[in-house]
Amino acid sequence: MADNPTAEMQAAAPAKRKGVKRRAFLIGGVAVVGAGLFGISIADSNAAKSAKARLESDGGHSFATWLKIGEDDSITIYSPHTDIGQGSNTGLAQMLAEELDAAWDQVRVVSAPAEPAFANVGLGRAFLADMTGQPAIINGIPQSFLSFIARQMNLQMTGGSTALRFTGRVTFQNVGAATRLALVETAAKRLAVPADELTTQDSHVIHAKSGRALRYGELAAEAATLSLDNAPKLKDPSQYRIMRQSMQRLDIPAKVDGSAQYGIDFSVPDMRVATIMAAPVRGGKLTSVDTAPALAVKGVEKVIKLDDAVAVVAKGYWPAISGLRALTPEFSDGGNGGISTASIFKAQGDLMAKGEADSTAGDGDVQAGLGAQPIEAKYQVPFLHHAMMEPFALTAHFKDGKLNIWGGMQDPLATKMMAVEASGLDADNVTFHPMMIGGSFGRRLPMYMEIVGQVTKLAMQLPYPVKLIWSREEEVVQGAYRPQSSAALKASLTKEKRITAYRNDYAQPESAESETVFPYALPAVSRRHFAHVSNQQTGAWRSVNSTQQGFYNESFMDELAHAAGEDPVVFRRNHLKAGSRHVRVLDEVAARSGWGSPLPAGTGRGVALVESFRTIVAQVIEASVGDDGMPKVHKVTTVVDAGSIVNPDAAMAQIEGGIIMGLSSAIGEAITLENGAVQQSNLADYPLLKMAGAPLVMDIHFLNSGADMGGIGEPGVPPAAPALANALFAATGKRVRNLPILTQAKA
């Protein structure tokens, strides 16, 4: 799952403002790149020395912050990304190991320390190049300045499908190639032969003429003293032995044998367990609570009142949750008691009706092109919950003036700095220990999470370590949801079945413009954002705004095709740029799905084409409606152009997961509000797609177009909802304009 500084960082209210601040800081920093470069260069040098000292403290020799080679030939890669189960750390290892010519069985990946010296400068550089569309200018900015910016932003984030396409491509491949050159240079000196007579393979430098070879481990100490090439030549893909191969994921063995530790597994001696209840209406405060009922529960040791929540500390989770359930705390509603799902949709509709957009994008005279009688449609989508497998769990211990926190977060360095702020301690006295994450989809970005401040405040008041666990109920009602959103679309057609003008008005907290793509080449297009913020915390949800915009645009394109009396694939193709990657993906999915061939009675096909995170995905879904009114998905054909694929098996798993998540959200998922509070309480009333409802067949194909690498973790999600809605129209003649479909079926 990613988004300031990437598409992951979309949020409302305070979290939104923090995200915008981070982006503004990054852009503003580049604008003053000439200022203070000498001091910045010294700071960068000191950070590099700090990273080197930390990595080499237990042996081995480090290269460019992210790599250590042991004298026993071990290859340790320090990833600034968190393992969320997506397999990207294995992909990063493949990218570095390929250019290094490392022996794969000697490679391991560990989490980079959550310290400023390990801020992810490659992510910042690539994001800036992507956002500005000026990679040549960004590449001309001194590395020391970008490193300084990354450290100031505490940039160590996982999200926005950036790990491989940004960190891997910009940093890890270069580190591998540059280190290999340093090893070759060292070997040439020792063997007294020209460097161009040497080759590398399986962690050895080989001199074929003499039959001599040197291990990387015996060259590492001297090679680590050399200056690395900042722009080494990378391999041609025809030379790959590790990249583009389905290498076994490095994280799987520990997850299978149980040795992998997640935040909820972690424990230390003398630890207590806490759980918490916050104001059910966001914005409310704790007004009163009688602590006696909780303290009467065996094992409960303390009840701690926070500004907007109450926590129970006990000798285990069961007494903690039992004590919490015994309480009847009273909370204010912060003036938000009148907010409901219906009131939010009404407010969004009223905003769009006024026509005063907060931001606009597009080209051409849309108003003139629409004419007097445009085709119109309105769409609505609900708040969506992340429904991650592992609920929040962070352990903290404050002792002798130092605070340690353990757990799984999508930005460990930013988490550390949030704990610094909450505790009032110096950064040197706070350590965050990153761990694996049991699911996230954008939920564990620290700017969207109260638990960091909560566990810090608890630990500062307790003489022993404390693990704070959010119950599933708390996690559901206190989410950082995908925004509830409304859209009103208009377009006009010529007699030749061509769109003359297209307008997409949509209301939600933030603009979708930064990470969504409208692929169609039309004479006039307008995208207008109307900002509406409710009392709910909103944040990044897998594929961020591309889910809403994909549903709106691809559903409406189908409606326009129907109005034109033209086949939906042909209609889309006629509005795409000839010879584009989009056309190739659309043609491929049509051919592979058997588009146009007969289907059983009551079954329809729907198509959708969405570009997100630089990856183009087209899906064709075959679906019908059961006797219970529920949609049944029989087959999903998917074609993906992500430029190139590092690990085909991992990529396949990500697209499969994206399809399931997209269908699940379209069919049954919704967070709804009444009297300012979330109505759902657990997974029992937040229906996720079950195995019986999953597609019978998922046929997935990748096109290696050679374009710049796109993301993989998120782009499989957006086409699923519109493709399903369009298939149901083909099967039943009824349009789905409001999600989830389950709600419409029951209406």
Side-chain angles (χ1 to χ4, degrees), residues 607-658:
V607 64
L609 173 74
V610 181
E611 178 183 346
S612 60
F613 305 95
R614 303 290 181 181
T615 293
I616 302 166
V617 180
Q619 289 176 2
V620 170
I621 286 180
E622 296 177 13
S624 61
V625 178
D627 295 337
D628 57 358
M630 288 290 292
K632 179 65 177 176
V633 180
H634 305 285
K635 182 180 180 182
V636 182
T637 305
T638 304
V639 173
V640 181
D641 180 358
S644 62
I645 299 298
V646 173
N647 187 313
D649 276 359
M652 183 78 71
Q654 286 297 293
I655 297 298
E656 289 172 343

Side-chain angles (χ1 to χ4, degrees), residues 549-568:
Q549 294 300 316
F551 175 65
Y552 299 154
N553 288 316
E554 286 302 290
S555 295
F556 194 51
M557 286 296 289
D558 228 63
E559 297 207 39
L560 295 175
H562 181 70
E566 195 163 58
D567 176 87

Side-chain angles (χ1 to χ4, degrees), residues 18-19 31 99 111 113 158 182 237 244 269 278 285 303 331 356 372 437 464 494 504 593 601 637 665 675 686 698 730:
K18 288 179 187 176
E99 297 295 343
S111 293
T158 300
R244 296 190 179 176
K285 303 296 182 183
V303 177
F331 297 93
E356 299 173 0
I437 297 176
Y464 37 66
T494 67
N504 175 354
S593 66
T637 305
S665 64
N675 299 321
Y686 188 81
M698 285 193 285

Side-chain angles (χ1 to χ4, degrees), residues 181 183-199 205-210 212:
L181 290 177
L183 292 164
V184 168
E185 182 181 340
T186 303
K189 180 179 177 182
R190 288 199 190 173
L191 297 174
V193 299
D196 60 9
E197 290 185 4
L198 299 173
T199 58
V205 180
I206 302 162
H207 187 241
K209 285 184 178 180
S210 64
R212 292 177 292 172

Side-chain angles (χ1 to χ4, degrees), residues 22 66 291 447 483 552 582 607 734:
R22 291 179 80 174
W66 310 111
T291 63
M447 72 287 297
Y552 299 154
H582 298 88
V607 64
K734 297 179 181 179

Side-chain angles (χ1 to χ4, degrees), residues 399-740:
K399 184 179 181 181
D400 299 330
K402 296 185 180 296
L403 177 66
N404 283 272
I405 303 179
W406 296 263
M409 297 287 282
Q410 284 181 252
D411 194 329
L413 181 52
T415 301
K416 168 192 165 93
M417 293 308 176
M418 287 186 72
V420 167
E421 183 177 354
S423 66
L425 299 171
D426 291 337
D428 290 344
N429 291 325
V430 177
T431 303
F432 181 75
H433 306 268
M435 305 181 76
M436 289 181 175
I437 297 176
S440 178
F441 312 112
R443 181 65 179 101
R444 293 178 190 265
L445 289 162
M447 72 287 297
Y448 305 144
M449 296 175 61
E450 295 88 351
I451 191 172
V452 178
Q454 290 171 345
V455 77
T456 298
K457 290 172 184 176
L458 296 183
M460 301 289 285
Q461 299 182 48
L462 297 170
Y464 37 66
V466 60
K467 179 196 292 185
L468 175 58
I469 300 174
W470 277 26
S471 67
R472 181 71 68 185
E473 290 82 0
E474 186 75 359
E475 213 280 311
V476 169
V477 303
Q478 299 291 342
Y481 312 113
R482 188 196 74 176
Q484 182 176 330
S485 177
S486 303
L489 281 77
K490 296 180 181 181
S492 291
L493 298 168
T494 67
K495 293 179 180 179
E496 292 75 29
K497 306 176 182 180
R498 297 297 172 266
I499 300 172
T500 58
Y502 187 103
R503 170 169 288 159
N504 175 354
D505 289 350
Y506 62 97
Q508 60 184 46
E510 284 200 345
S511 169
E513 199 63 30
S514 63
E515 81 274 354
T516 59
V517 175
F518 185 75
Y520 300 102
L522 307 180
V525 177
S526 170
R527 298 181 295 277
R528 303 195 300 180
H529 168 239
F530 297 81
H532 177 269
V533 178
S534 72
N535 70 319
Q536 293 303 300
Q537 172 75 289
T538 59
W541 188 91
R542 190 175 184 179
S543 77
V544 203
N545 289 303
S546 295
T547 54
Q548 303 100 303
Q549 294 300 316
F551 175 65
Y552 299 154
N553 288 316
E554 286 302 290
S555 295
F556 194 51
M557 286 296 289
D558 228 63
E559 297 207 39
L560 295 175
H562 181 70
E566 195 163 58
D567 176 87
V569 168
V570 173
F571 184 80
R572 284 171 171 79
R573 197 180 196 283
N574 286 336
H575 289 92
L576 292 169
K577 184 179 178 181
S580 65
R581 293 167 62 204
H582 298 88
V583 168
R584 184 185 175 198
V585 170
L586 184 63
D587 287 349
E588 191 75 14
V589 81
R592 290 184 179 275
S593 66
W595 185 267
S597 62
L599 286 170
T603 301
R605 281 194 189 95
V607 64
L609 173 74
V610 181
E611 178 183 346
S612 60
F613 305 95
R614 303 290 181 181
T615 293
I616 302 166
V617 180
Q619 289 176 2
V620 170
I621 286 180
E622 296 177 13
S624 61
V625 178
D627 295 337
D628 57 358
M630 288 290 292
K632 179 65 177 176
V633 180
H634 305 285
K635 182 180 180 182
V636 182
T637 305
T638 304
V639 173
V640 181
D641 180 358
S644 62
I645 299 298
V646 173
N647 187 313
D649 276 359
M652 183 78 71
Q654 286 297 293
I655 297 298
E656 289 172 343
I659 292 168
I660 295 294
M661 195 164 179
L663 291 175
S664 180
S665 64
I667 292 171
E669 296 181 36
I671 290 291
T672 57
L673 303 180
E674 194 62 50
N675 299 321
V678 171
Q679 293 179 289
Q680 288 67 38
S681 61
N682 206 314
L683 299 184
D685 50 9
Y686 188 81
L688 300 173
L689 190 66
K690 296 180 174 62
M691 189 171 290
L696 299 176
V697 177
M698 285 193 285
D699 189 16
I700 300 169
H701 304 271
F702 294 96
L703 303 179
N704 282 319
S705 66
D708 286 345
M709 185 180 292
I712 277 294
E714 306 185 75
V717 179
L724 174 58
N726 296 337
L728 295 176
F729 173 76
T732 68
K734 297 179 181 179
R735 282 286 174 196
V736 174
R737 295 193 180 100
N738 301 332
L739 297 179

